[in-house]
């Protein structure tokens, strides 16, 4: 069973920056795709960014130019560098991955705790 653990969240002022990490329990070199999601109170979970095995990236419109997704196979970790944060970015951030045709987190119970990002003065 593959495990994904998010970390790096916290409280930051508007305009500040955070770097989130998603560490896997196995080698991520062969992962087809990894992705960051977020969910604010009362809202649906939404895709923030994703990165495929070739390093190609995709970003939601609301984070383009501010966030950068990357992965480090040696550390078994995917990152999300978040700059120019605003209160609208406040949410619980989650990661997921596709290993071949299998998605690590599928159902509601599989998403775990995530990491809380709070942007406030």
């Amino acid at each position: 069973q593959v495990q994904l653990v998010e970390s790096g969240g916290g409280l930051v002022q508007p305009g500040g920056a955070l770097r989130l990490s998603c560490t896997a329990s196995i080698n991520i070199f062969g992962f087809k795709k990894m992705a960051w999601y977020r969910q604010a109170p009362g809202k649906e979970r939404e895709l923030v960014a994703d990165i495929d095995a070739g390093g190609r990236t995709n970003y939601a419109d609301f984070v383009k130019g501010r966030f950068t997704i990357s992965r480090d196979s040696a550390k078994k970790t995917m990152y999300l560098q978040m700059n120019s944060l605003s209160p609208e970015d406040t949410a619980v951030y989650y990661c997921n991955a596709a290993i071949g045709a299998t998605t690590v987190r599928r159902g509601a119970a599989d998403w775990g705790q995530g990491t809380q990002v709070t942007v406030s003065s």
Side-chain angles (χ1 to χ4, degrees), residues 25-110:
S25 61
I26 65 171
N27 196 332
I28 69 170
F29 182 79
F31 283 19
K32 183 177 180 180
K33 184 178 290 186
M34 299 186 75
W36 284 100
Y37 295 80
R38 71 185 188 186
Q39 186 169 25
K43 297 183 179 180
E44 297 292 321
R45 186 185 306 109
E46 61 184 352
L47 178 68
V48 176
D50 59 62
I51 183 168
D52 68 14
R56 291 177 288 273
T57 59
N58 174 66
Y59 297 94
D61 288 342
F62 54 81
V63 303
K64 286 183 177 178
R66 300 190 297 124
F67 292 8
T68 302
I69 188 171
S70 62
R71 57 195 287 173
D72 185 337
S73 296
K75 296 183 180 294
K76 302 178 182 178
T77 300
M78 173 180 66
Y79 301 99
L80 184 68
Q81 178 65 49
M82 305 186 296
N83 299 325
S84 301
L85 286 163
S86 70
E88 289 71 30
D89 296 312
T90 296
V92 179
Y93 285 71
Y94 303 89
C95 63
N96 205 352
I99 307 173
T102 302
T103 300
V104 175
R105 292 169 166 168
R106 302 179 184 181
D110 297 325

